[in-house]
Amino acid sequence: MRFSENAEDPFALGRGASAVLDDQGTVVGWSARAQELLGYPAKDVLGRAWQDLLVDARDLPVARAVVVDAVRTGGWFGVLPVRHRDGRRVEMGFRARAVTRDGDSREWVLVGAPAAEVGAWERDRALLDGLYRRSPIGLVTYGPDRRVIRVNRAVEKASGVPAEAPVGRRPREFMVDEDAGSADERVRHVLETGEPLIFTEQSARARHDPGRERIVSVSAFRMEDPSGRILGVAETIEDVTDRHRAQRRLALLNEASVRIGTSLDVTQTARELAEAAVHGLADYCSVELLKPVTLGDEPVSGASGPLLRVALSPPEHRVPFQEGDVVPLLPESPQARCLSERRPILEGLLPLRPEWYATDRRRIEMALSLGVHSLIAAPLVARGLVLGVVSLWRSRHSEHFEDGDVAVAQELSSRAAVCIDNARRFTQQQSAALTLQRSLLPRAASDLPAVEVACRYLPASGEPGIGGDWFDVIPLSGARVALVVGDVVGHGIHAAASMGRLRAAVRTLASLDLEPDEVVARLDDLVSLLATELEANTDGNGPSIEQMIGATCVYAVYDPVSRHCSLARAGHPAPVMTTPDGHVTVLDLPAGPPLGLGGLPFETCDLDLPEGSLLTLYTNGLLEARNGDIDVALDHLHECLTNSTDPLDGTCRAVIEALLPREHLPADDIALLIARTRVLPPQNVATWQLPLEATAAARARQLTTAKLAEWGLTELAFTTELVASELVTNAYRYAAGPVTLRLIRTHCLICEVSDTSHTSPHLRRALSTDEGGRGLFLVAQLTERWGTRYTHDGKTVWTEQPLPHA
């Protein structure tokens, strides 16, 4: 019989009491420890039957049953009450084992200890046995050389590796290199320092199955014997993979709620969804939307159509369809079933099936090289409308998707669908506003005798939406031109509609040939009136009123005959003038209040512009596009305008590139208008001062006929002399002071008669008995356009006639 050498074992040699019995139950051996525990010296025990000496009569039946059991099994272990020499009853734990001597004789070796010590030891033994055999928490012990001594069955069950496989090996031999390094370092640290580790989480992927994710929580302590000798390290290991995945999924959803929907652009939102999905959920993610959604339109409920791939992350050329491609799904594909059933579809273990796509075999074979083995297709549904589908793929060594991943994918797609639908609705509104605004903005007039014009309009990007910036180039009488740039504060359809109303009003006021300050003053009255109407009709709709009150504009009139320019502004940035020699100046033009404040005056600034000067009008969005530093923006603007002889389109482009950061759309609308002044040659203008007398009309006819013959316009002589004669006659009859006759040849023939009267001529229907009153009627019938403009000194009646075709 082998005795235990464990110092804590109560049956260990030197600790337990021992006795030897022959086959008839006679004591033939007795140890000193037995004498110490039971009080019997060897001489009183040897040769006597054990049951007569050590067992009370009341315990004798139990003792005999123990003997029968020991004889039947060849040994016995348990607790049995025995009699001390002083007569008291002592509970003792015994181990009995039969030993065969020479021949057929048999002896029994008994080792005993106090029952209290035996119970504690047995509990410790049971605990140790439970840790290795029945505990759900893994246990690994390492020797001083950091090699595995033993692992329990929990580790074997979790890893799928037999318990004896890691024995005698280091972590690097049965774990993947990335995880084994930290595991070995952990054991080394505990061995050297003796500092325990508590609940340290790390990855523990097995070398035989590197694709299976396994996260464990490890606690470790150093093992020492009573003398302090280091025996190794013990680690308790708990598999927390499920908990880790749940935390990771929750973190993914939290991160996605921040990352998705940062803009109101449909494509950008889809890309944010794809990028969020590949950070912790999938190896590849693609987002396909119904084509109407990408255009901002609302998809028809229950209708299907072509899917457009708008996002793919990460970029991969082997994927059959790239961003911008139409994805031809067949009905049996998971994506098609996902859209029709409006629920996520999980394909946990699959190849990339060629029959899913209506495409050529070559592209499918390229995709097969990705090693895709698992797919989740989740619908993008918002407000009951199907917008598209998001496909999540795993490939190579990644684990297959499971039900928990489907729940995350569904939540992710639901959140993203709301953001995509918001972006779609914003795109729809922005598109409508942009269409409205572009329909209200003019096309640049390139064939004007007064100026050469180039212009740019850039709508605001993202959330601000379309604004109320506008520009206009308005031909006026006498070959003059009006230039206007304005800004309605606010964004959206209301701002665009307000801009259209103001632009129409400016055109109407310009047609009256009013001075710039008067045009701006009447526009100010109009804005105040519109604001009052809005306040009354919208129950105090603050944003709309603010849009009207916040309007600004600058209005300029240029005369190519006199080179004279008159300007007025209402709270708008001052225009910039560039002379032909490249000198750039911000015009010192009285600012004036913004439109709609009412009751404050506006002023006109007059100046003469050399031929070839640049007049630059713009909205504040141009100066605020680059970080809002207006001084720096003005410096860049001046640099771009220095060379006044460059083509205007190139100058416009240079200004936008210099003041707008690359690859960034403006936060506010930008309207830019650059005009290069022209001067009519003196030979194309003829002016005569006529005395206010009865012969003035005849003199006007003579001068007109002669000048038209000089210009080679004899075809217009009869009509023009009749027009001049009628206008001079009216001046003679109804005005006072001298009369001025002027002919201007541009793209048309202009005839002007000026006098000192402010009386407005008007058409009237002459009766058949009237001797007069038909002059203006004839003028209106013989000319293409006619009108009256007023000056400080009187008025000018003008007409325009088209030139004969060359």
Side-chain angles (χ1 to χ4, degrees), residues 203-218:
S203 175
R205 291 168 293 170
R207 184 175 289 275
H208 73 280
D209 189 11
R212 181 188 176 191
E213 181 184 38
R214 184 168 175 246
I215 306 298
V216 296
S217 175
V218 180

Side-chain angles (χ1 to χ4, degrees), residues 128 196 493 579 749:
L128 185 62
I493 292 180
T579 58
L749 178 62

Side-chain angles (χ1 to χ4, degrees), residues 238-437:
E238 182 181 2
D239 191 335
V240 294
T241 305
D242 291 341
R243 184 180 71 190
H244 179 78
R245 287 177 177 172
Q247 292 174 344
R248 185 175 60 197
R249 290 163 180 162
L250 181 60
L252 172 64
L253 292 175
N254 290 336
E255 182 183 3
S257 64
V258 176
R259 297 183 59 175
I260 301 175
T262 61
S263 73
L264 287 174
D265 180 83
V266 172
T267 300
Q268 178 62 27
T269 304
R271 287 175 179 162
E272 290 169 351
L273 166 60
E275 291 170 0
V278 297
H279 284 79
L281 185 59
D283 294 322
Y284 298 96
C285 178
S286 63
V287 180
E288 289 83 41
L289 299 177
L290 293 170
K291 194 170 183 180
V293 176
T294 64
L295 301 176
D297 298 331
E298 184 168 305
V300 179
S301 179
S304 61
L307 287 172
L308 189 68
R309 177 158 290 175
V310 295
L312 174 64
S313 185
E316 174 57 65
H317 70 277
R318 290 176 293 177
V319 173
F321 304 99
Q322 299 295 316
E323 291 183 1
D325 293 343
V326 175
V327 181
L329 292 175
L330 296 180
E332 55 268 28
S333 67
Q335 290 89 344
R337 289 188 287 122
C338 163
L339 291 174
S340 63
E341 299 173 16
R342 294 192 176 193
R343 66 177 182 87
I345 300 295
L346 170 63
E347 296 283 352
L349 181 61
L350 81 161
L352 186 62
R353 299 175 185 171
E355 63 270 17
W356 286 355
Y357 300 103
T359 186
D360 57 275
R361 181 71 187 181
R362 182 185 62 83
R363 299 175 77 174
I364 291 296
E365 290 175 350
M366 291 175 58
L368 290 175
S369 63
L370 295 172
V372 171
H373 58 71
S374 192
L375 162 69
I376 295 177
L380 294 168
V381 181
R383 298 187 303 115
L385 297 175
V386 177
L387 307 178
V389 61
V390 55
S391 301
L392 308 172
W393 309 85
R394 282 185 179 173
S395 64
R396 301 295 183 194
H397 300 302
S398 299
E399 291 189 31
H400 303 296
F401 283 122
E402 55 187 28
D403 292 339
D405 297 318
V406 175
V408 175
Q410 185 171 15
E411 179 66 21
L412 195 64
S413 62
S414 298
R415 296 186 183 186
V418 174
C419 296
I420 290 174
D421 188 56
N422 289 339
R424 179 199 64 76
R425 298 170 71 182
F426 172 79
T427 301
Q428 185 181 43
Q429 182 183 26
Q430 188 181 44
S431 177
L434 183 59
T435 301
L436 173 62
Q437 188 173 46

Side-chain angles (χ1 to χ4, degrees), residues 17 31 107 129 146 244 318 364 372 393 445 549 557 582 641 690 725 742 744 749 781 801:
S31 68
E107 293 181 346
D129 181 71
R146 306 203 301 276
H244 179 78
R318 290 176 293 177
I364 291 296
V372 171
W393 309 85
I549 293 178
V557 175
L641 297 175
L690 301 177
S725 174
R742 184 168 72 166
I744 303 173
L749 178 62
Q781 298 302 311
Q801 301 173 74

Side-chain angles (χ1 to χ4, degrees), residues 577-599:
M577 182 189 71
T578 307
T579 58
D581 60 2
H583 181 67
V584 182
T585 305
V586 177
L587 294 180
D588 186 13
L589 184 63
L595 299 175
L597 294 185

